[in-house]
Amino acid sequence: DAKTTQPPSMDCAEGRAANLPCNHSTISGNEYVYWYRQIHSQGPQYIIHGLKNNETNEMASLIITEDRKSSTLILPHATLRDTAVYYCIVKETSGSRLTFGEGTQLTVNP
Amino acid sequence: DAGVTQSPTHLIKTRGQQVTLRCSPISGHKSVSWYQQVLGQGPQFIFQYYEKEERGRGNFPDRFSARQFPNYSSELNVNALLLGDSALYLCASSDRVGDYGYTFGSGTRLTVV
């Protein structure tokens, strides 16, 4: 699985959009980009995934660049409950494992 | 519907002892994965089981073993515990191998003293 690079920490004001970047320059054609988050003392939570098109669900939007070497997770209106570590993961859908890096600690401030 | 259930939530063991952790997946899910999360790091993959067969193994010593039962629940066993085995052990449930979104339990916090 390709390696990902994320900033270690980010801050965001409550109510504003949180944009979390991820670099995955070695991604291969059959690998998807997945995002999970982990709120303190809980297990990781699946957010969204995509291959090459932008994706949106009730939690977030995922923007993948045309060359697929980077992506951005967007939380449109961040709340205090969105404070968590966000993990960007690259994986084939047939792959059995999620390879977590160290993620981005997002802190949403009032 | 109940989510992924792990037991116990916390336990303390002594070096050299053995421990068994348990996981019940979401009803209807046939795959269970185990992850170890050391404080300050992301989770690390240990095993995945699907339909009672091992489908993936991470870079962990043979002291770590697991199995899956006919009802799809799973146990993770760790023998000869070391201080470095202290971690949060997470179980993830999915309908199949390589499923789009895994559902994680809240984990078992193991402390080895």
Side-chain angles (χ1 to χ4, degrees):
Chain A
D1 292 331
K3 182 178 172 57
T4 62
T5 304
Q6 300 178 252
S9 64
M10 294 183 64
D11 286 290
C12 177
E14 188 177 19
R16 303 297 294 269
N19 297 287
L20 293 95
C22 179
N23 287 320
H24 30 79
S25 58
T26 61
I27 192 171
S28 62
N30 59 348
E31 289 181 316
Y32 283 68
V33 180
Y34 293 77
W35 283 84
Y36 281 77
R37 73 179 182 184
Q38 188 173 24
I39 296 170
H40 184 61
S41 297
Q42 297 182 21
Q45 176 190 24
Y46 165 79
I47 301 173
I48 198 167
H49 75 282
L51 182 63
K52 55 183 179 182
N53 299 318
N54 298 338
E55 301 288 345
T56 296
N57 63 18
E58 65 278 5
M59 291 183 67
S61 294
L62 174 60
I63 309 297
I64 303 174
T65 59
E66 191 169 344
D67 64 7
R68 302 212 320 124
K69 293 184 177 181
S70 66
S71 61
T72 301
L73 180 74
I74 300 172
L75 308 178
H77 305 286
T79 70
L80 299 179
R81 288 176 293 183
D82 292 322
T83 292
V85 177
Y86 287 77
Y87 296 99
C88 170
I89 298 167
V90 172
K91 187 180 83 70
E92 294 182 21
T93 54
S94 60
S96 61
R97 70 190 68 188
L98 297 169
T99 302
F100 290 84
E102 298 196 353
T104 296
Q105 172 66 60
L106 174 68
T107 302
V108 181
N109 300 303
Chain B
D1 250 350
V4 178
T5 305
Q6 293 188 246
S7 63
T9 54
H10 298 82
L11 77 164
I12 300 173
K13 291 286 189 176
T14 304
R15 276 177 300 175
Q17 285 189 315
Q18 176 264 341
V19 68
T20 298
L21 311 180
R22 295 175 177 84
C23 172
S24 294
I26 290 173
S27 177
H29 281 190
K30 300 178 181 178
S31 177
V32 168
S33 301
W34 288 95
Y35 288 78
Q36 180 197 66
Q37 187 172 26
V38 173
L39 196 62
Q41 298 181 17
Q44 299 299 307
F45 174 79
I46 310 175
F47 288 110
Q48 183 178 42
Y49 277 78
Y50 177 73
E51 292 276 18
K52 303 186 294 293
E53 292 189 2
E54 183 183 301
R55 291 300 188 96
R57 173 185 286 254
N59 187 24
F60 280 81
D62 292 342
R63 299 184 296 108
F64 289 77
S65 63
R67 56 180 175 169
Q68 187 176 33
F69 299 99
N71 66 353
Y72 304 116
S73 67
S74 178
E75 288 182 350
L76 175 70
N77 296 285
V78 187
N79 294 322
L81 285 167
L82 304 174
L83 296 179
D85 294 331
S86 296
L88 180 68
Y89 288 84
L90 295 159
C91 173
S93 163
S94 64
D95 186 36
R96 55 189 185 274
V97 175
D99 205 346
Y100 291 119
Y102 293 89
T103 302
F104 284 81
S106 295
T108 294
R109 172 71 63 188
L110 171 64
T111 302
V112 182
V113 298

